[in-house]
């Protein structure tokens, strides 16, 4: 179970790294980078799977922290789905995605 948890943590953090990097790349191009949608969805899915694995094991889960992270992840994923329909996006869109991603990772590490 520890190996599965570790693999999910790695995939989850890499997914957020893809979202953050793609959002920063989008600041220059002002079009939706290819990996942004996939990174956001995979971060959301691996996060949900990670909480399930933690609940099955002998880990203490901070449900308030998980709830806040889930809301932020849903907002980021929703923004990316919305932005995927647009032809050109402004810097505020990519800044908000990058900022919310940084907040989500900070919550995971600091709280």
């Amino acid at each position: 179970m520890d190996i599965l948890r570790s693999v999910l943590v790695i995939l989850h953090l890499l997914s957020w790294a893809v979202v953050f990097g793609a959002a920063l790349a989008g600041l220059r191009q002002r079009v939706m980078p290819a990996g942004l949608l996939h990174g956001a969805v995979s971060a959301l899915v691996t996060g949900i799977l990670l909480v399930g694995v933690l609940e099955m094991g002998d880990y203490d889960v901070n449900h308030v922290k998980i709830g806040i992270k889930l809301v932020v992840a849903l907002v980021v994923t929703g923004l990316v789905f919305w932005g995927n329909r647009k032809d050109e996006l402004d810097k505020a869109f990519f800044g908000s995605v990058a900022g919310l991603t940084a907040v989500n990772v900070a919550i995971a590490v600091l709280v």
Side-chain angles (χ1 to χ4, degrees):
M1 194 66 93
D2 285 335
I3 294 173
L4 178 60
R5 183 190 64 82
S6 298
V7 168
L8 284 173
V9 167
I10 291 168
L11 289 174
H12 185 65
L13 290 175
L14 286 174
S15 298
W16 282 121
V18 168
V19 171
F20 189 72
L24 291 181
L27 283 170
R28 281 199 153 179
Q29 301 168 351
R30 296 203 182 177
V31 293
M32 183 67 70
L36 191 58
L37 179 63
H38 299 295
V41 171
S42 64
L44 182 64
V45 170
T46 56
I48 292 170
L49 291 174
L50 183 59
V51 171
V53 168
L54 292 175
E55 285 286 341
M56 287 189 298
D58 292 333
Y59 300 98
D60 291 330
V61 179
N62 185 347
H63 293 287
V64 174
K65 172 182 167 180
I66 297 301
I68 293 170
K69 284 181 54 62
L70 178 63
V71 168
V72 173
L74 286 171
V75 168
V76 169
T77 306
L79 278 172
V80 171
F81 270 115
W82 175 79
N84 200 28
R85 296 180 165 189
K86 301 284 185 179
D87 291 332
E88 189 173 322
L89 299 162
D90 57 352
K91 287 186 176 185
F93 171 79
F94 292 111
S96 63
V97 170
L100 286 171
T101 300
V103 165
N104 210 6
V105 172
I107 291 171
V109 173
L110 299 175
V111 176

